[in-house]
Amino acid sequence: MSRLRICQKLRKNLDSRITPVGVFVNEHMKLIVDLFRDGIIEMAQLHGDEDEKYIRNLKDKSIEETGKQIPVINAIEIKDGADYNDELLKWRDSVSDYFILDSGKGSGKTFDWSLIDKESEFFKNSIFLAGGLNSENLALAIEEFNPFAVDLSSSVETDGFKDEKKIKEIIEIMENYR
């Protein structure tokens, strides 16, 4: 069975309250637009070298193909030991709908939160926070960044599989911030 068929099948069985997001690294925009057009994804999360021009073109192509503009989550990798405030300001007026601040592609580690000026104009944008978030640091992360959303993955796994107990623990913490 092709990957496209598998994606279509997964999408069909997905709870309607869940927004399907495609995660891409330096992907050809035709594939992203095709997945959006076919209703397999409703948003694109970009983790590669996609720049503002690419994102504008992706949004324009999605309108041409579907009559709708694809929402984009643009990932910004924050590495320790660098000043990211100027870098973040470059994205201040981006056409990206959201940004995800992350320590790296699946590193499971937090970045140094003190590297980021949370009063920066960049934070007029809606951000997702990722990278090493777990039940021990999630409340502090929410209080410090006031993110639109958080992205957790490996911290809610045991032996490579999602762990119901860990997920419930995270949900309990997040309920305090509704």
Side-chain angles (χ1 to χ4, degrees), residues 57-76:
N57 288 339
L58 176 61
K59 287 178 161 285
D60 290 345
K61 285 239 181 267
S62 68
I63 290 173
E64 287 173 22
E65 292 279 328
T66 69
K68 300 181 295 185
Q69 191 176 78
I70 189 169
V72 171
I73 306 166
N74 188 14
I76 299 174

Side-chain angles (χ1 to χ4, degrees), residues 28-136:
H28 191 281
M29 75 177 63
K30 180 179 179 349
L31 174 65
I32 299 171
V33 171
D34 288 350
L35 292 170
F36 181 64
R37 182 196 61 229
D38 294 345
I40 295 170
I41 63 170
E42 293 178 17
M43 297 179 84
Q45 183 171 319
L46 307 176
H47 280 268
D49 300 314
E50 300 87 359
D51 60 10
E52 186 68 9
K53 181 179 177 185
Y54 177 96
I55 296 165
R56 285 182 192 278
N57 288 339
L58 176 61
K59 287 178 161 285
D60 290 345
K61 285 239 181 267
S62 68
I63 290 173
E64 287 173 22
E65 292 279 328
T66 69
K68 300 181 295 185
Q69 191 176 78
I70 189 169
V72 171
I73 306 166
N74 188 14
I76 299 174
E77 186 176 341
I78 308 295
K79 294 182 180 177
D80 289 348
D83 179 4
Y84 280 89
N85 296 309
D86 288 339
E87 178 68 24
L88 293 178
L89 283 175
K90 289 181 196 173
W91 290 100
R92 175 183 52 213
D93 299 318
S94 173
V95 296
S96 297
D97 299 281
Y98 306 94
F99 291 91
I100 184 165
L101 301 181
D102 196 353
S103 60
K105 300 169 183 88
S107 73
K109 297 178 182 171
T110 59
F111 60 87
D112 181 352
W113 297 343
S114 70
L115 294 172
I116 306 296
D117 175 8
K118 286 111 187 143
E119 303 300 318
S120 165
E121 276 195 45
F122 169 78
F123 285 95
K124 73 176 188 176
N125 296 296
S126 296
I127 67 154
F128 290 51
L129 189 61
L133 300 176
N134 57 47
S135 60
E136 295 173 14

